[in-house]
Amino acid sequence: MDRLVIRGGKPLCGSASVSGAKNAALPAMAAVLLTSEELRFENVPSLRDVATIERLLMFMGVESRQVAPGTASLTSRAIQRFEVPYDLVRTMRASVLVLGPLLARFGKARVSLPGGCAIGPRPINLHLTGLQEMGAEIDLVDGYVVAKAPRLTGTRVRFETVTVTGTENLMMAATLAKGTTVLENAACEPEVEDLARLLQGMGARVQGAGTSTITIEGVEELKGASHRIIPDRIEAGTLAVAAAITQGDVVIQGCVPEHFEAVTAKLEEAGAAVALDEGGLRIRMANRPRPVDITTAPFPGFATDMQAQIMALMAVAKGKSAITETVFENRFMHVPELLRMGADITVGGRTAVVRGVSLLRGAPVMATDLRASASLVLAGLQARGETVVHRIYHLDRGYEQLEAKIRSLGGEIQRVEG
Ligand code: EPU
């Protein structure tokens, strides 16, 4: 298994470009199941999760080819299998995104029920009740969701909790349903809006994406489209924290600043200068950060996917901060690893109290999930001495060339294979 070796203590300086968003690419690719015509995507990040969804779609019968680096063409003319086996759902929960499209176009699907994962139990009950409200018959057989619906029917679905992939699944399902579907308490994440843009390009009638009420008027069929995936706001946020934690000066290029304003606002509160510059967003930090309290929330709140990274920054702040995780139940797996590096953090329920230390110390640490890995890399960039981050396959699921980008900014980081 590959590992990353980091020698910290160097300020990151220069400019780095953000790749396409993993969490926008995954639902967009699943949308190919809604049409027999070609979907062409640009700005597709080269990531393990993207390869997994491609493998899964090809297993079903989707034709996929790379037209150029970052440009993919997908067509689902002849689907032979309407199922997603456990092995794929286990490695990537987002595999459940094929459920809505399969049901909508083919009237059947068999998808393994995801179990727990490193960040909590993460059920899919809201996806399932929503589809049932649209007329699907759903049974749980041998660990699989077996769903049938001659044709889904539009209805009003109110999510009891905001769910990103739940909103995406139902939005896709509703595009081919009979009549109008209204999704209430829908996720407002930019990735949901990006998917809506793609669906509109395919001829779907979707309105209100980006707000908490989305209205979808079903159509008989959808057509092919070309679509550019939005930049990854979590990668952009991670690079911004990398600039701040190393007291560096980095211009993040190709990002959409409004997509991670909650993060940059907290960085400003912590003492960073944030400004639009040369077509990018420039983050400069001259001193140790001030402590700031953070509570995660659905968009436009502070993203749970940035919680581990901001904790690394607060671990070196001049004082005490409280970080509260409200989206997932068990997303503090990075804490014991940060403690190994000399951080002072106490977790009580959903809140971590972080008492900043002036310097972290390099240590061998273990990545437990994608964003936890990013937090350990950030901590390693600040720490004195050598940090070795093990199990970085988690990082490869969602960050394209992170170590190359950090190296180009002057960071000392190497991947060691095997
Ligand atoms: N929830 C339910 N029932 C459901 C669905 C969700 O109780 O049917 C709960 C979850 O357990 C959680 C909360 O609702 O407590 C929100 O979960 P959500 O469904 O929004 O998460 P997701 O759609 O499974 C996506 C991202 C995650 C990101 C979350 C929250 C994708 C592919 N994944 O997951 O990304 O953390 O939204 O913003 O879009 C990551 O990239 O590292 C990552 C984990």
Side-chain angles (χ1 to χ4, degrees):
M1 272 187 274
D2 293 4
R3 55 194 191 275
L4 286 176
V5 179
I6 304 164
R7 290 201 74 82
K10 287 205 171 161
L12 297 193
C13 295
S15 76
S17 294
V18 171
S19 302
K22 165 180 84 83
N23 290 348
L26 299 176
M29 290 169 75
V32 72
L33 295 168
L34 290 166
T35 174
S36 60
E37 293 184 19
E38 182 195 18
L39 292 189
R40 192 174 273 239
F41 297 113
E42 281 174 39
N43 206 28
V44 180
S46 170
L47 299 170
R48 223 160 58 101
D49 274 9
V50 169
T52 304
I53 196 135
E54 185 190 24
R55 195 151 50 88
L56 151 62
L57 292 169
M58 289 172 78
F59 167 84
M60 293 174 160
V62 169
E63 293 154 48
S64 169
R65 74 192 159 88
Q66 196 187 52
V67 180
T71 303
S73 156
L74 277 79
T75 314
S76 72
R77 256 182 293 266
I79 293 300
Q80 294 110 20
R81 295 195 184 100
F82 301 88
E83 78 163 56
V84 189
Y86 177 63
D87 274 356
L88 286 165
V89 178
R90 193 172 51 86
T91 52
M92 191 185 66
R93 297 176 44 86
S95 307
V96 302
L97 281 166
V98 301
L99 184 58
L102 277 181
L103 255 185
R105 179 158 155 231
F106 302 102
K108 58 181 171 184
R110 184 170 178 271
V111 176
S112 171
L113 203 57
C117 72
I119 61 177
R122 296 178 82 186
I124 56 162
N125 58 312
L126 304 175
H127 303 227
L128 302 185
T129 49
L131 291 168
Q132 278 169 327
E133 285 166 35
M134 295 177 74
E137 235 180 78
I138 296 186
D139 291 304
L140 298 181
V141 185
D142 303 333
Y144 278 75
V145 173
V146 180
K148 276 186 293 197
R151 183 164 181 199
L152 293 169
T153 315
T155 186
R156 185 171 288 270
V157 175
R158 186 171 175 82
F159 293 104
E160 143 204 321
T161 307
V162 175
T163 159
V164 177
T165 50
T167 301
E168 291 164 348
N169 231 338
L170 288 202
M171 188 163 75
M172 288 191 278
T175 57
L176 292 176
K178 185 169 185 297
T180 302
T181 303
V182 181
L183 303 179
E184 292 176 348
N185 199 26
C188 304
E189 268 66 3
E191 293 76 17
V192 173
E193 225 181 320
D194 194 44
L195 176 64
R197 258 194 323 116
L198 164 67
L199 295 171
Q200 284 163 346
M202 294 166 68
R205 303 213 179 109
V206 183
Q207 277 180 342
T211 75
S212 58
T213 304
I214 305 177
T215 305
I216 308 111
E217 211 184 302
V219 296
E220 290 300 318
E221 60 177 15
L222 294 175
K223 55 186 174 54
S226 284
H227 181 77
R228 188 173 172 82
I229 305 288
I230 52 168
D232 197 312
R233 65 194 165 100
I234 306 300
E235 188 199 356
T238 303
L239 289 169
V241 175
I245 202 169
T246 60
Q247 296 182 16
D249 182 354
V250 174
V251 178
I252 303 168
Q253 271 165 344
C255 63
V256 181
E258 305 84 70
H259 288 177
F260 62 115
E261 249 169 12
V263 172
T264 47
K266 287 293 174 186
L267 291 179
E268 280 182 310
E269 236 182 285
V274 179
L276 281 176
D277 192 281
E278 299 162 25
L281 193 70
R282 183 171 181 190
I283 316 283
R284 269 176 302 161
M285 186 82 159
N287 299 303
R288 249 179 93 185
R290 288 192 287 267
V292 289
D293 291 342
I294 284 147
T295 300
T296 64
F299 192 82
F302 192 97
T304 171
D305 289 345
M306 281 300 302
Q307 181 257 107
Q309 299 90 315
I310 205 82
M311 192 182 291
L313 182 69
M314 288 303 108
V316 295
K318 261 196 218 157
K320 184 171 96 173
S321 59
I323 299 183
T324 305
E325 173 58 63
T326 71
V327 179
F328 289 111
E329 279 171 40
N330 182 26
R331 212 175 192 182
F332 285 137
M333 304 281 277
H334 40 286
V335 171
E337 301 303 308
L338 290 172
L339 295 182
R340 294 171 53 74
M341 300 180 69
D344 180 353
I345 305 169
T346 321
V347 176
R350 294 187 160 230
T351 300
V353 174
V354 186
R355 290 178 186 79
V357 297
S358 59
L359 275 180
L360 294 169
R361 292 187 307 269
V365 286
M366 187 87 83
T368 49
D369 75 67
L370 169 57
R371 309 304 170 187
S373 326
S375 132
L376 299 176
V377 169
L378 295 171
L381 290 171
Q382 199 272 351
R384 290 302 172 269
E386 187 177 272
T387 298
V388 182
V389 186
H390 294 271
R391 297 211 178 150
I392 53 160
Y393 55 84
H394 290 293
L395 199 74
D396 295 336
R397 292 184 53 183
Y399 287 94
E400 188 181 48
Q401 307 249 343
L402 187 64
E403 72 261 26
K405 290 181 189 181
I406 291 174
R407 254 200 317 275
S408 77
L409 296 170
E412 252 189 75
I413 180 167
Q414 298 296 336
R415 177 179 292 249
V416 179
E417 288 182 8

